[in-house]
Amino acid sequence: MNRDEIAAFAEASAGQPRLIGLDLGTKTIGVALSDVGRRIGSPLETIRRVKFTPDAQRLAALCAKHGVGGLVIGLPLNMDGTEGPRSQSSRSFARNLKPILPLPVLFFDERLSTAAVTRTLLEADASRARRGELVDKLAAAYILQACLDVMGGMAPGVGFEDEDD
């Protein structure tokens, strides 16, 4: 993921105001939703995975309901930045989703997102059951918020300096 990929995604998804963030797990999909200004990512729900088609239909329904213009999918990179089997699984999910939900997709580094969210829930003294209920959609919000922060920093005159200087 680089600046050009993020800028292209922001432009391609500009037709609708909101973005959805996904934290893809083997048993669940954490879902987060941005506000219309694309400044804040909030947890939306956790989808219990059954089979691909009903999972994809649920995502499509959420996107239609909330006027979503693009998907930010967490990419579980190894700590050294390389891609492993989980990254390949996320890319495969997005490829299979495209015919059902033809929206722009941005893969965003999700390293340590679940660990950060779990640590926060532990600090808040959340029970094990409560952490289990919340961790996936909070991880999705964490991933989406990181992406929104980067996109916000790319606005003209903010954050990045011109590369021509």
Side-chain angles (χ1 to χ4, degrees):
M1 164 199 64
N2 62 40
R3 180 181 176 170
D4 292 337
E5 289 173 322
I6 296 169
F9 171 76
E11 186 176 322
S13 64
Q16 293 288 333
R18 294 181 189 256
L19 298 175
I20 272 190
L22 302 176
D23 179 38
L24 300 173
T26 56
K27 296 180 182 177
T28 60
I29 301 172
V31 183
L33 183 67
S34 77
D35 65 321
V36 294
R38 294 187 178 183
R39 290 185 184 89
I40 299 170
S42 302
L44 184 61
E45 72 175 65
T46 300
I47 298 170
R48 297 271 172 229
R49 292 185 84 164
V50 238
K51 291 190 175 187
F52 176 78
T53 301
D55 297 346
Q57 289 171 339
R58 178 65 186 144
L59 287 172
L62 288 171
C63 289
K65 176 181 178 181
H66 294 289
V68 170
L71 305 172
V72 177
I73 299 177
L75 189 64
L77 298 173
N78 296 321
M79 290 309 290
D80 65 0
T82 61
E83 291 190 22
R86 293 293 308 137
S87 293
Q88 293 168 2
S89 176
S90 295
R91 289 188 184 280
S92 176
F93 182 89
R95 254 191 324 276
N96 294 335
L97 187 62
K98 195 73 169 169
I100 297 167
L101 189 56
L103 291 174
V105 171
L106 177 68
F107 291 101
F108 201 85
D109 184 354
E110 72 164 38
R111 282 180 281 186
L112 301 178
S113 61
T114 300
V117 167
T118 301
R119 188 176 330 110
T120 300
L121 290 170
L122 285 169
E123 289 171 1
D125 203 26
S127 69
R128 182 180 298 267
R130 186 70 177 140
R131 288 193 311 266
E133 288 174 23
L134 296 175
V135 72
D136 297 310
K137 63 184 175 183
L138 287 174
Y142 186 93
I143 295 161
L144 180 58
Q145 187 62 55
C147 179
L148 294 171
D149 290 347
V150 170
M151 288 172 66
M154 292 176 65
V158 180
F160 290 97
E161 295 188 22
D162 285 339
E163 294 169 357
D164 297 335
D165 291 342

